[in-house]
CSV table of all heavy atoms in Angstrom, one decimal:
chain,number,residue,atom,x,y,z
A,1149,SER,N,-14.5,12.8,-10.2
A,1149,SER,CA,-15.0,12.5,-8.8
A,1149,SER,C,-13.9,12.7,-7.8
A,1149,SER,O,-12.7,12.9,-8.1
A,1149,SER,CB,-15.5,11.0,-8.8
A,1149,SER,OG,-14.4,10.1,-8.8
A,1150,ALA,N,-14.3,12.7,-6.6
A,1150,ALA,CA,-13.3,12.9,-5.5
A,1150,ALA,C,-12.2,11.9,-5.5
A,1150,ALA,O,-11.0,12.2,-5.3
A,1150,ALA,CB,-14.0,13.0,-4.1
A,1151,LEU,N,-12.6,10.6,-5.7
A,1151,LEU,CA,-11.6,9.5,-5.7
A,1151,LEU,C,-10.6,9.7,-6.8
A,1151,LEU,O,-9.4,9.5,-6.6
A,1151,LEU,CB,-12.3,8.2,-5.8
A,1151,LEU,CG,-11.4,7.0,-5.7
A,1151,LEU,CD1,-10.6,7.0,-4.4
A,1151,LEU,CD2,-12.2,5.7,-5.8
A,1152,ASN,N,-11.0,10.1,-8.0
A,1152,ASN,CA,-10.1,10.4,-9.1
A,1152,ASN,C,-9.1,11.5,-8.7
A,1152,ASN,O,-7.9,11.5,-9.1
A,1152,ASN,CB,-10.8,10.6,-10.4
A,1152,ASN,CG,-11.4,9.4,-11.0
A,1152,ASN,OD1,-10.9,8.3,-10.7
A,1152,ASN,ND2,-12.5,9.5,-11.7
A,1153,ARG,N,-9.6,12.6,-8.1
A,1153,ARG,CA,-8.8,13.7,-7.7
A,1153,ARG,C,-7.7,13.2,-6.7
A,1153,ARG,O,-6.6,13.6,-6.8
A,1153,ARG,CB,-9.6,14.8,-7.1
A,1153,ARG,CG,-10.5,15.5,-8.2
A,1153,ARG,CD,-11.2,16.7,-7.6
A,1153,ARG,NE,-10.3,17.7,-7.1
A,1153,ARG,CZ,-10.6,18.6,-6.2
A,1153,ARG,NH1,-11.8,18.6,-5.7
A,1153,ARG,NH2,-9.7,19.5,-5.8
A,1154,LEU,N,-8.1,12.4,-5.8
A,1154,LEU,CA,-7.1,11.9,-4.8
A,1154,LEU,C,-6.1,11.0,-5.5
A,1154,LEU,O,-4.9,11.1,-5.2
A,1154,LEU,CB,-7.8,11.0,-3.7
A,1154,LEU,CG,-8.6,11.9,-2.7
A,1154,LEU,CD1,-9.4,10.9,-1.8
A,1154,LEU,CD2,-7.7,12.7,-1.9
A,1155,LYS,N,-6.5,10.2,-6.4
A,1155,LYS,CA,-5.6,9.3,-7.2
A,1155,LYS,C,-4.6,10.2,-7.9
A,1155,LYS,O,-3.4,9.8,-8.0
A,1155,LYS,CB,-6.3,8.4,-8.1
A,1155,LYS,CG,-7.1,7.3,-7.4
A,1155,LYS,CD,-7.8,6.4,-8.5
A,1155,LYS,CE,-8.5,5.3,-7.8
A,1155,LYS,NZ,-9.2,4.5,-8.9
A,1156,CYS,N,-5.0,11.2,-8.5
A,1156,CYS,CA,-4.1,12.1,-9.3
A,1156,CYS,C,-3.2,12.9,-8.4
A,1156,CYS,O,-2.1,13.3,-8.8
A,1156,CYS,CB,-5.0,13.1,-10.1
A,1156,CYS,SG,-5.9,12.3,-11.4
A,1157,SER,N,-3.5,13.0,-7.1
A,1157,SER,CA,-2.6,13.8,-6.2
A,1157,SER,C,-1.6,12.9,-5.4
A,1157,SER,O,-0.8,13.4,-4.7
A,1157,SER,CB,-3.5,14.5,-5.1
A,1157,SER,OG,-4.4,15.4,-5.8
A,1158,ILE,N,-1.6,11.6,-5.7
A,1158,ILE,CA,-0.8,10.7,-4.9
A,1158,ILE,C,0.7,11.0,-5.1
A,1158,ILE,O,1.5,10.9,-4.2
A,1158,ILE,CB,-1.1,9.2,-5.2
A,1158,ILE,CG1,-0.4,8.3,-4.2
A,1158,ILE,CG2,-0.7,8.8,-6.7
A,1158,ILE,CD1,-1.0,8.3,-2.9
A,1159,THR,N,1.1,11.3,-6.3
A,1159,THR,CA,2.5,11.7,-6.6
A,1159,THR,C,2.9,12.9,-5.8
A,1159,THR,O,4.0,12.9,-5.2
A,1159,THR,CB,2.8,11.9,-8.1
A,1159,THR,OG1,2.4,10.7,-8.8
A,1159,THR,CG2,4.2,12.2,-8.4
A,1160,LYS,N,2.1,13.9,-5.8
A,1160,LYS,CA,2.4,15.1,-5.1
A,1160,LYS,C,2.5,14.9,-3.6
A,1160,LYS,O,3.4,15.3,-2.9
A,1160,LYS,CB,1.3,16.2,-5.4
A,1160,LYS,CG,1.6,17.5,-4.7
A,1160,LYS,CD,0.6,18.6,-5.1
A,1160,LYS,CE,0.8,19.9,-4.5
A,1160,LYS,NZ,-0.1,20.9,-4.9
A,1161,ALA,N,1.6,14.1,-3.1
A,1161,ALA,CA,1.6,13.7,-1.7
A,1161,ALA,C,2.8,12.9,-1.3
A,1161,ALA,O,3.5,13.2,-0.3
A,1161,ALA,CB,0.3,12.9,-1.3
A,1162,THR,N,3.2,12.0,-2.2
A,1162,THR,CA,4.4,11.2,-1.9
A,1162,THR,C,5.7,12.1,-1.9
A,1162,THR,O,6.5,12.0,-1.1
A,1162,THR,CB,4.5,10.1,-3.0
A,1162,THR,OG1,3.4,9.3,-2.9
A,1162,THR,CG2,5.8,9.2,-2.8
A,1163,ASP,N,5.7,13.0,-2.9
A,1163,ASP,CA,6.9,13.9,-3.0
A,1163,ASP,C,7.0,14.7,-1.7
A,1163,ASP,O,8.0,15.0,-1.2
A,1163,ASP,CB,6.8,14.8,-4.2
A,1163,ASP,CG,7.0,14.0,-5.5
A,1163,ASP,OD1,7.5,12.9,-5.5
A,1163,ASP,OD2,6.6,14.6,-6.6
A,1164,GLY,N,5.8,15.2,-1.3
A,1164,GLY,CA,5.8,16.0,-0.1
A,1164,GLY,C,6.3,15.3,1.2
A,1164,GLY,O,7.0,15.8,2.0
A,1165,LEU,N,5.8,14.0,1.3
A,1165,LEU,CA,6.3,13.2,2.4
A,1165,LEU,C,7.8,12.9,2.4
A,1165,LEU,O,8.5,13.0,3.4
A,1165,LEU,CB,5.5,11.9,2.4
A,1165,LEU,CG,5.7,11.0,3.6
A,1165,LEU,CD1,5.4,11.7,4.9
A,1165,LEU,CD2,4.8,9.8,3.5
A,1166,ILE,N,8.2,12.7,1.2
A,1166,ILE,CA,9.7,12.4,1.0
A,1166,ILE,C,10.5,13.7,1.4
A,1166,ILE,O,11.5,13.6,2.0
A,1166,ILE,CB,10.0,11.9,-0.4
A,1166,ILE,CG1,9.4,10.5,-0.6
A,1166,ILE,CG2,11.5,11.9,-0.7
A,1166,ILE,CD1,9.5,10.0,-2.0
A,1167,LYS,N,10.0,14.8,1.0
A,1167,LYS,CA,10.7,16.1,1.3
A,1167,LYS,C,10.7,16.3,2.8
A,1167,LYS,O,11.7,16.8,3.4
A,1167,LYS,CB,10.0,17.3,0.6
A,1167,LYS,CG,10.3,17.4,-0.8
A,1167,LYS,CD,9.6,18.6,-1.4
A,1167,LYS,CE,9.7,18.6,-2.9
A,1167,LYS,NZ,9.0,19.7,-3.6
A,1168,LEU,N,9.7,15.9,3.5
A,1168,LEU,CA,9.6,16.1,5.0
A,1168,LEU,C,10.7,15.2,5.6
A,1168,LEU,O,11.1,15.5,6.7
A,1168,LEU,CB,8.3,15.7,5.5
A,1168,LEU,CG,7.2,16.7,5.2
A,1168,LEU,CD1,5.8,16.2,5.7
A,1168,LEU,CD2,7.5,18.1,5.9
A,1169,MET,N,11.1,14.2,5.0
A,1169,MET,CA,12.2,13.3,5.5
A,1169,MET,C,13.5,14.0,5.7
A,1169,MET,O,14.4,13.6,6.4
A,1169,MET,CB,12.3,12.0,4.7
A,1169,MET,CG,11.1,11.1,4.8
A,1169,MET,SD,11.1,9.7,3.7
A,1169,MET,CE,12.6,8.9,4.2
A,1170,ASP,N,13.6,15.1,4.9
A,1170,ASP,CA,14.9,16.0,5.0
A,1170,ASP,C,14.7,17.2,5.8
A,1170,ASP,O,15.5,18.1,5.8
A,1170,ASP,CB,15.3,16.4,3.6
A,1170,ASP,CG,15.7,15.2,2.8
A,1170,ASP,OD1,16.3,14.2,3.3
A,1170,ASP,OD2,15.5,15.2,1.5
A,1171,SER,N,13.6,17.3,6.6
A,1171,SER,CA,13.3,18.5,7.4
A,1171,SER,C,14.4,18.8,8.4
A,1171,SER,O,15.1,17.9,8.8
A,1171,SER,CB,12.0,18.3,8.1
A,1171,SER,OG,11.8,19.3,9.1
A,1172,SER,N,14.6,20.0,8.7
A,1172,SER,CA,15.6,20.4,9.7
A,1172,SER,C,15.1,20.0,11.1
A,1172,SER,O,15.9,19.9,12.0
A,1172,SER,CB,15.9,21.9,9.7
A,1172,SER,OG,14.7,22.6,9.9
A,1173,ARG,N,13.8,19.8,11.3
A,1173,ARG,CA,13.3,19.4,12.6
A,1173,ARG,C,13.3,17.9,12.7
A,1173,ARG,O,12.7,17.2,11.9
A,1173,ARG,CB,11.8,19.9,12.7
A,1173,ARG,CG,11.8,21.4,12.8
A,1173,ARG,CD,10.4,21.9,13.0
A,1173,ARG,NE,9.6,21.2,14.0
A,1173,ARG,CZ,8.3,21.3,14.2
A,1173,ARG,NH1,7.7,22.2,13.5
A,1173,ARG,NH2,7.7,20.6,15.1
A,1174,GLU,N,13.9,17.4,13.8
A,1174,GLU,CA,14.0,16.0,14.0
A,1174,GLU,C,12.7,15.3,14.1
A,1174,GLU,O,12.4,14.2,13.6
A,1174,GLU,CB,14.9,15.7,15.2
A,1174,GLU,CG,15.1,14.2,15.4
A,1174,GLU,CD,16.0,14.0,16.6
A,1174,GLU,OE1,16.6,14.9,17.2
A,1174,GLU,OE2,16.2,12.8,17.0
A,1175,ASP,N,11.7,16.0,14.8
A,1175,ASP,CA,10.4,15.3,15.0
A,1175,ASP,C,9.6,15.2,13.7
A,1175,ASP,O,9.0,14.2,13.5
A,1175,ASP,CB,9.6,16.1,16.0
A,1175,ASP,CG,9.3,17.6,15.6
A,1175,ASP,OD1,10.2,18.2,14.9
A,1175,ASP,OD2,8.3,18.1,16.0
A,1176,ILE,N,9.8,16.1,12.8
A,1176,ILE,CA,9.1,16.0,11.5
A,1176,ILE,C,9.8,14.9,10.7
A,1176,ILE,O,9.1,14.1,10.1
A,1176,ILE,CB,9.2,17.4,10.7
A,1176,ILE,CG1,8.5,18.5,11.5
A,1176,ILE,CG2,8.7,17.2,9.3
A,1176,ILE,CD1,7.0,18.3,11.6
A,1177,ARG,N,11.1,14.8,10.7
A,1177,ARG,CA,11.8,13.7,10.0
A,1177,ARG,C,11.4,12.4,10.5
A,1177,ARG,O,11.1,11.5,9.7
A,1177,ARG,CB,13.3,13.9,10.1
A,1177,ARG,CG,13.9,15.0,9.4
A,1177,ARG,CD,15.5,14.9,9.3
A,1177,ARG,NE,16.1,14.6,10.5
A,1177,ARG,CZ,16.6,15.5,11.4
A,1177,ARG,NH1,16.4,16.8,11.1
A,1177,ARG,NH2,17.2,15.1,12.5
A,1178,ARG,N,11.3,12.2,11.8
A,1178,ARG,CA,10.9,11.0,12.4
A,1178,ARG,C,9.5,10.6,12.0
A,1178,ARG,O,9.3,9.4,11.7
A,1178,ARG,CB,11.0,11.0,14.0
A,1178,ARG,CG,10.7,9.7,14.7
A,1178,ARG,CD,10.8,9.8,16.2
A,1178,ARG,NE,9.8,10.8,16.7
A,1178,ARG,CZ,8.5,10.6,16.8
A,1178,ARG,NH1,8.0,9.4,16.5
A,1178,ARG,NH2,7.7,11.5,17.3
A,1179,LEU,N,8.6,11.5,12.1
A,1179,LEU,CA,7.2,11.2,11.7
A,1179,LEU,C,7.1,10.9,10.3
A,1179,LEU,O,6.3,10.0,9.9
A,1179,LEU,CB,6.3,12.4,12.1
A,1179,LEU,CG,6.1,12.6,13.6
A,1179,LEU,CD1,5.3,13.9,13.9
A,1179,LEU,CD2,5.3,11.4,14.2
A,1180,ALA,N,7.8,11.6,9.4
A,1180,ALA,CA,7.7,11.3,8.0
A,1180,ALA,C,8.3,9.9,7.7
A,1180,ALA,O,7.7,9.1,6.9
A,1180,ALA,CB,8.5,12.4,7.2
A,1181,CYS,N,9.4,9.6,8.3
A,1181,CYS,CA,10.0,8.2,8.1
A,1181,CYS,C,9.1,7.1,8.6
A,1181,CYS,O,8.9,6.1,8.0
A,1181,CYS,CB,11.3,8.1,8.8
A,1181,CYS,SG,12.6,9.1,8.1
A,1182,LYS,N,8.4,7.4,9.8
A,1182,LYS,CA,7.5,6.4,10.3
A,1182,LYS,C,6.3,6.2,9.4
A,1182,LYS,O,5.9,5.1,9.1
A,1182,LYS,CB,7.0,7.0,11.7
A,1182,LYS,CG,6.0,6.1,12.4
A,1182,LYS,CD,5.6,6.7,13.7
A,1182,LYS,CE,4.5,5.9,14.4
A,1182,LYS,NZ,3.2,6.2,14.0
A,1183,ASP,N,5.8,7.3,8.8
A,1183,ASP,CA,4.7,7.2,7.8
A,1183,ASP,C,5.1,6.4,6.6
A,1183,ASP,O,4.4,5.5,6.1
A,1183,ASP,CB,4.2,8.6,7.4
A,1183,ASP,CG,3.4,9.3,8.4
A,1183,ASP,OD1,3.0,8.6,9.4
A,1183,ASP,OD2,3.2,10.5,8.3
A,1184,VAL,N,6.3,6.7,6.1
A,1184,VAL,CA,6.8,5.9,4.9
A,1184,VAL,C,6.9,4.4,5.2
A,1184,VAL,O,6.4,3.6,4.5
A,1184,VAL,CB,8.2,6.5,4.4
A,1184,VAL,CG1,8.8,5.5,3.4
A,1184,VAL,CG2,8.0,7.9,3.9
A,1185,PHE,N,7.4,4.1,6.4
A,1185,PHE,CA,7.5,2.7,6.8
A,1185,PHE,C,6.1,2.0,6.9
A,1185,PHE,O,5.9,0.9,6.4
A,1185,PHE,CB,8.3,2.5,8.1
A,1185,PHE,CG,9.8,2.5,8.0
A,1185,PHE,CD1,10.5,3.4,8.6
A,1185,PHE,CD2,10.4,1.5,7.2
A,1185,PHE,CE1,11.9,3.4,8.5
A,1185,PHE,CE2,11.7,1.4,7.1
A,1185,PHE,CZ,12.5,2.4,7.7
A,1186,GLU,N,5.2,2.8,7.5
A,1186,GLU,CA,3.9,2.2,7.7
A,1186,GLU,C,3.2,2.0,6.3
A,1186,GLU,O,2.5,1.0,6.1
A,1186,GLU,CB,3.0,3.1,8.6
A,1186,GLU,CG,3.5,3.1,10.0
A,1186,GLU,CD,2.7,4.1,10.9
A,1186,GLU,OE1,2.0,4.9,10.4
A,1186,GLU,OE2,2.9,4.0,12.1
A,1187,TYR,N,3.4,2.9,5.4
A,1187,TYR,CA,2.7,2.8,4.1
A,1187,TYR,C,3.3,1.6,3.3
A,1187,TYR,O,2.6,0.9,2.6
A,1187,TYR,CB,2.9,4.1,3.3
A,1187,TYR,CG,2.1,5.3,3.9
A,1187,TYR,CD1,2.6,6.5,3.9
A,1187,TYR,CD2,0.8,5.1,4.4
A,1187,TYR,CE1,1.9,7.6,4.4
A,1187,TYR,CE2,0.1,6.1,4.9
A,1187,TYR,CZ,0.6,7.4,5.0
A,1187,TYR,OH,-0.1,8.4,5.5
A,1188,ILE,N,4.7,1.5,3.4
A,1188,ILE,CA,5.3,0.4,2.7
A,1188,ILE,C,4.8,-1.0,3.3
A,1188,ILE,O,4.5,-1.9,2.5
A,1188,ILE,CB,6.9,0.5,2.8
A,1188,ILE,CG1,7.3,1.7,2.0
A,1188,ILE,CG2,7.5,-0.8,2.4
A,1188,ILE,CD1,8.8,2.1,2.1
A,1189,ILE,N,4.8,-1.1,4.6
A,1189,ILE,CA,4.4,-2.3,5.2
A,1189,ILE,C,2.9,-2.6,4.8
A,1189,ILE,O,2.6,-3.8,4.5
A,1189,ILE,CB,4.5,-2.2,6.8
A,1189,ILE,CG1,6.0,-2.2,7.1
A,1189,ILE,CG2,3.8,-3.3,7.5
A,1189,ILE,CD1,6.3,-1.9,8.6
A,1190,LYS,N,2.1,-1.6,4.9
A,1190,LYS,CA,0.7,-1.8,4.5
A,1190,LYS,C,0.6,-2.3,3.0
A,1190,LYS,O,-0.2,-3.2,2.7
A,1190,LYS,CB,-0.1,-0.5,4.7
A,1190,LYS,CG,-1.6,-0.7,4.5
A,1190,LYS,CD,-2.2,-1.6,5.5
A,1190,LYS,CE,-3.7,-1.5,5.5
A,1190,LYS,NZ,-4.3,-2.5,6.4
A,1191,SER,N,1.4,-1.7,2.2
A,1191,SER,CA,1.4,-2.0,0.7
A,1191,SER,C,1.8,-3.5,0.5
A,1191,SER,O,1.2,-4.2,-0.2
A,1191,SER,CB,2.3,-1.1,0.0
A,1191,SER,OG,2.4,-1.5,-1.4
A,1192,ILE,N,2.8,-3.9,1.3
A,1192,ILE,CA,3.3,-5.3,1.2
A,1192,ILE,C,2.2,-6.3,1.7
A,1192,ILE,O,1.9,-7.3,1.1
A,1192,ILE,CB,4.6,-5.5,2.0
A,1192,ILE,CG1,5.7,-4.7,1.2
A,1192,ILE,CG2,5.0,-7.0,2.1
A,1192,ILE,CD1,7.0,-4.6,2.1
A,1193,GLU,N,1.6,-5.9,2.8
A,1193,GLU,CA,0.5,-6.7,3.3
A,1193,GLU,C,-0.6,-6.9,2.3
A,1193,GLU,O,-1.2,-8.0,2.1
A,1193,GLU,CB,0.0,-6.1,4.6
A,1193,GLU,CG,0.9,-6.2,5.8
A,1193,GLU,CD,0.4,-5.5,7.0
A,1193,GLU,OE1,-0.5,-4.7,6.9
A,1193,GLU,OE2,1.0,-5.7,8.1
A,1194,LEU,N,-1.1,-5.8,1.7
A,1194,LEU,CA,-2.1,-5.8,0.7
A,1194,LEU,C,-1.8,-6.6,-0.5
A,1194,LEU,O,-2.6,-7.4,-1.0
A,1194,LEU,CB,-2.6,-4.4,0.3
A,1194,LEU,CG,-3.3,-3.6,1.4
A,1194,LEU,CD1,-3.5,-2.2,1.0
A,1194,LEU,CD2,-4.6,-4.3,1.8
A,1195,GLU,N,-0.5,-6.5,-0.9
A,1195,GLU,CA,0.0,-7.3,-2.1
A,1195,GLU,C,-0.1,-8.8,-1.7
A,1195,GLU,O,-0.5,-9.6,-2.6
A,1195,GLU,CB,1.4,-6.9,-2.4
A,1195,GLU,CG,1.9,-7.4,-3.7
A,1195,GLU,CD,3.3,-6.9,-4.0
A,1195,GLU,OE1,3.3,-5.7,-4.5
A,1195,GLU,OE2,4.3,-7.6,-3.8
A,1196,ASN,N,0.3,-9.2,-0.5
A,1196,ASN,CA,0.3,-10.6,-0.1
A,1196,ASN,C,-1.1,-11.1,-0.1
A,1196,ASN,O,-1.4,-12.2,-0.5
A,1196,ASN,CB,1.0,-10.7,1.2
A,1196,ASN,CG,2.5,-10.6,1.2
A,1196,ASN,OD1,3.1,-10.7,0.1
A,1196,ASN,ND2,3.1,-10.3,2.3
A,1197,ILE,N,-2.0,-10.3,0.5
A,1197,ILE,CA,-3.4,-10.7,0.6
A,1197,ILE,C,-4.0,-10.9,-0.8
A,1197,ILE,O,-4.7,-11.9,-1.1
A,1197,ILE,CB,-4.3,-9.7,1.3
A,1197,ILE,CG1,-3.9,-9.7,2.8
A,1197,ILE,CG2,-5.8,-9.9,1.2
A,1197,ILE,CD1,-4.4,-8.6,3.7
A,1198,GLU,N,-3.7,-10.0,-1.8
A,1198,GLU,CA,-4.1,-10.1,-3.1
A,1198,GLU,C,-3.6,-11.4,-3.8
A,1198,GLU,O,-4.4,-12.1,-4.5
A,1198,GLU,CB,-3.7,-8.9,-3.9
A,1198,GLU,CG,-4.3,-8.9,-5.3
A,1198,GLU,CD,-3.9,-7.6,-6.1
A,1198,GLU,OE1,-3.2,-6.7,-5.5
A,1198,GLU,OE2,-4.2,-7.5,-7.3
A,1199,GLN,N,-2.4,-11.7,-3.6
A,1199,GLN,CA,-1.8,-12.9,-4.2
A,1199,GLN,C,-2.5,-14.2,-3.6
A,1199,GLN,O,-2.8,-15.1,-4.3
A,1199,GLN,CB,-0.3,-13.0,-3.9
A,1199,GLN,CG,0.5,-12.0,-4.7
A,1199,GLN,CD,2.0,-11.9,-4.3
A,1199,GLN,OE1,2.4,-12.6,-3.3
A,1199,GLN,NE2,2.7,-11.1,-4.9
A,1200,ARG,N,-2.7,-14.2,-2.3
A,1200,ARG,CA,-3.4,-15.3,-1.7
A,1200,ARG,C,-4.8,-15.4,-2.2
A,1200,ARG,O,-5.3,-16.5,-2.4
A,1200,ARG,CB,-3.4,-15.1,-0.1
A,1200,ARG,CG,-2.0,-15.3,0.4
A,1200,ARG,CD,-1.8,-15.0,1.9
A,1200,ARG,NE,-2.7,-15.8,2.7
A,1200,ARG,CZ,-3.1,-15.4,3.9
A,1200,ARG,NH1,-2.7,-14.3,4.4
A,1200,ARG,NH2,-3.9,-16.2,4.6
A,1201,LEU,N,-5.5,-14.3,-2.3
A,1201,LEU,CA,-6.9,-14.3,-2.8
A,1201,LEU,C,-6.9,-14.9,-4.2
A,1201,LEU,O,-7.8,-15.6,-4.6
A,1201,LEU,CB,-7.5,-13.0,-2.7
A,1201,LEU,CG,-9.0,-12.8,-3.2
A,1201,LEU,CD1,-9.9,-13.7,-2.4
A,1201,LEU,CD2,-9.4,-11.4,-3.0
A,1202,ASP,N,-6.0,-14.5,-5.1
A,1202,ASP,CA,-5.9,-15.0,-6.4
A,1202,ASP,C,-5.8,-16.5,-6.5
A,1202,ASP,O,-6.4,-17.2,-7.3
A,1202,ASP,CB,-4.7,-14.3,-7.2
A,1202,ASP,CG,-5.0,-12.9,-7.6
A,1202,ASP,OD1,-6.1,-12.4,-7.6
A,1202,ASP,OD2,-4.0,-12.2,-7.9
A,1203,LYS,N,-5.0,-17.0,-5.6
A,1203,LYS,CA,-4.8,-18.5,-5.5
A,1203,LYS,C,-6.1,-19.1,-5.1
A,1203,LYS,O,-6.5,-20.2,-5.7
A,1203,LYS,CB,-3.7,-18.8,-4.5
A,1203,LYS,CG,-2.3,-18.5,-5.0
A,1203,LYS,CD,-1.2,-18.8,-4.0
A,1203,LYS,CE,0.1,-18.4,-4.5
A,1203,LYS,NZ,1.2,-18.7,-3.5
A,1204,VAL,N,-6.8,-18.6,-4.1
A,1204,VAL,CA,-8.0,-19.2,-3.6
A,1204,VAL,C,-9.1,-19.1,-4.8
A,1204,VAL,O,-9.8,-20.1,-5.0
A,1204,VAL,CB,-8.6,-18.4,-2.4
A,1204,VAL,CG1,-10.0,-18.8,-2.1
A,1204,VAL,CG2,-7.7,-18.6,-1.2
A,1205,GLU,N,-9.1,-18.0,-5.5
A,1205,GLU,CA,-10.1,-17.9,-6.6
A,1205,GLU,C,-9.8,-18.9,-7.7
A,1205,GLU,O,-10.7,-19.5,-8.2
A,1205,GLU,CB,-10.1,-16.5,-7.2
A,1205,GLU,CG,-10.7,-15.5,-6.2
A,1205,GLU,CD,-10.6,-14.1,-6.7
A,1205,GLU,OE1,-9.7,-13.8,-7.6
A,1205,GLU,OE2,-11.4,-13.2,-6.3
A,1206,ARG,N,-8.5,-19.2,-8.0
A,1206,ARG,CA,-8.2,-20.2,-9.0
A,1206,ARG,C,-8.6,-21.6,-8.5
A,1206,ARG,O,-9.1,-22.3,-9.3
A,1206,ARG,CB,-6.6,-20.1,-9.2
A,1206,ARG,CG,-6.2,-19.1,-10.2
A,1206,ARG,CD,-4.8,-19.3,-10.7
A,1206,ARG,NE,-3.8,-19.3,-9.7
A,1206,ARG,CZ,-3.2,-18.3,-9.2
A,1206,ARG,NH1,-3.5,-17.1,-9.6
A,1206,ARG,NH2,-2.3,-18.4,-8.3
A,1207,VAL,N,-8.4,-21.9,-7.3
A,1207,VAL,CA,-8.7,-23.2,-6.7
A,1207,VAL,C,-10.3,-23.4,-6.8
A,1207,VAL,O,-10.7,-24.4,-7.3
A,1207,VAL,CB,-8.2,-23.4,-5.3
A,1207,VAL,CG1,-8.9,-24.6,-4.7
A,1207,VAL,CG2,-6.7,-23.5,-5.3
A,1208,VAL,N,-11.0,-22.4,-6.5
A,1208,VAL,CA,-12.5,-22.4,-6.5
A,1208,VAL,C,-12.9,-22.6,-7.9
A,1208,VAL,O,-13.8,-23.5,-8.2
A,1208,VAL,CB,-13.1,-21.2,-5.9
A,1208,VAL,CG1,-14.6,-21.1,-6.2
A,1208,VAL,CG2,-12.8,-21.1,-4.4
A,1209,LEU,N,-12.4,-21.9,-8.9
A,1209,LEU,CA,-12.7,-22.1,-10.3
A,1209,LEU,C,-12.4,-23.5,-10.8
A,1209,LEU,O,-13.1,-24.0,-11.6
A,1209,LEU,CB,-12.1,-21.0,-11.1
A,1209,LEU,CG,-12.6,-19.6,-11.0
A,1209,LEU,CD1,-11.8,-18.6,-11.7
A,1209,LEU,CD2,-14.1,-19.5,-11.4
A,1210,GLU,N,-11.2,-24.0,-10.4
A,1210,GLU,CA,-10.8,-25.3,-10.9
A,1210,GLU,C,-11.8,-26.4,-10.3
A,1210,GLU,O,-12.1,-27.3,-11.0
A,1210,GLU,CB,-9.4,-25.6,-10.4
A,1210,GLU,CG,-8.3,-24.8,-11.2
A,1210,GLU,CD,-6.9,-25.0,-10.6
A,1210,GLU,OE1,-6.8,-25.8,-9.7
A,1210,GLU,OE2,-6.0,-24.4,-11.1
A,1211,ARG,N,-12.2,-26.2,-9.1
A,1211,ARG,CA,-13.1,-27.2,-8.5
A,1211,ARG,C,-14.5,-27.1,-9.1
A,1211,ARG,O,-15.1,-28.2,-9.3
A,1211,ARG,CB,-13.2,-27.0,-7.0
A,1211,ARG,CG,-12.0,-27.4,-6.2
A,1211,ARG,CD,-12.1,-27.2,-4.7
A,1211,ARG,NE,-10.9,-27.6,-4.1
A,1211,ARG,CZ,-10.7,-27.5,-2.8
A,1211,ARG,NH1,-11.7,-27.1,-2.0
A,1211,ARG,NH2,-9.6,-27.9,-2.2
A,1212,LYS,N,-14.9,-26.0,-9.5
A,1212,LYS,CA,-16.2,-25.8,-10.2
A,1212,LYS,C,-16.1,-26.5,-11.6
A,1212,LYS,O,-17.1,-27.1,-12.0
A,1212,LYS,CB,-16.6,-24.4,-10.4
A,1212,LYS,CG,-17.1,-23.7,-9.2
A,1212,LYS,CD,-17.5,-22.3,-9.4
A,1212,LYS,CE,-18.2,-21.7,-8.2
A,1212,LYS,NZ,-18.6,-20.3,-8.5
A,1213,SER,N,-15.0,-26.4,-12.2
A,1213,SER,CA,-14.9,-27.0,-13.6
A,1213,SER,C,-14.8,-28.5,-13.5
A,1213,SER,O,-15.1,-29.2,-14.5
A,1213,SER,CB,-13.7,-26.5,-14.3
A,1213,SER,OG,-12.5,-26.9,-13.7
A,1214,TYR,N,-14.4,-29.1,-12.4
A,1214,TYR,CA,-14.3,-30.6,-12.3
A,1214,TYR,C,-15.7,-31.2,-11.9
A,1214,TYR,O,-15.8,-32.4,-12.0
A,1214,TYR,CB,-13.3,-31.0,-11.2
A,1214,TYR,CG,-11.9,-30.8,-11.6
A,1214,TYR,CD1,-11.0,-30.0,-10.9
A,1214,TYR,CD2,-11.4,-31.4,-12.8
A,1214,TYR,CE1,-9.7,-29.8,-11.3
A,1214,TYR,CE2,-10.1,-31.2,-13.2
A,1214,TYR,CZ,-9.2,-30.4,-12.4
A,1214,TYR,OH,-8.0,-30.2,-12.8
A,1215,LYS,N,-16.6,-30.4,-11.5
A,1215,LYS,CA,-17.9,-31.0,-11.1
A,1215,LYS,C,-18.8,-31.2,-12.3
A,1215,LYS,O,-18.8,-30.8,-13.3
A,1215,LYS,CB,-18.6,-30.1,-10.1
A,1215,LYS,CG,-17.9,-30.1,-8.8
A,1215,LYS,CD,-18.7,-29.2,-7.7
A,1215,LYS,CE,-18.0,-29.4,-6.4
A,1215,LYS,NZ,-18.7,-28.6,-5.4
């Protein structure tokens, strides 16, 4: 499926973005660095949301078992 193809291409896309960080053009380097920062921040945010959701789900399950 299309999603699986995208998942398989993530390493290549990451490598390409990292290579752009060494571009001779300053504007390309700046944009590539900006993209990397944005992706890292988004990843951290999603990880935090996932951890918080896990905690909420555990509390809900514990409350159900006490009833």
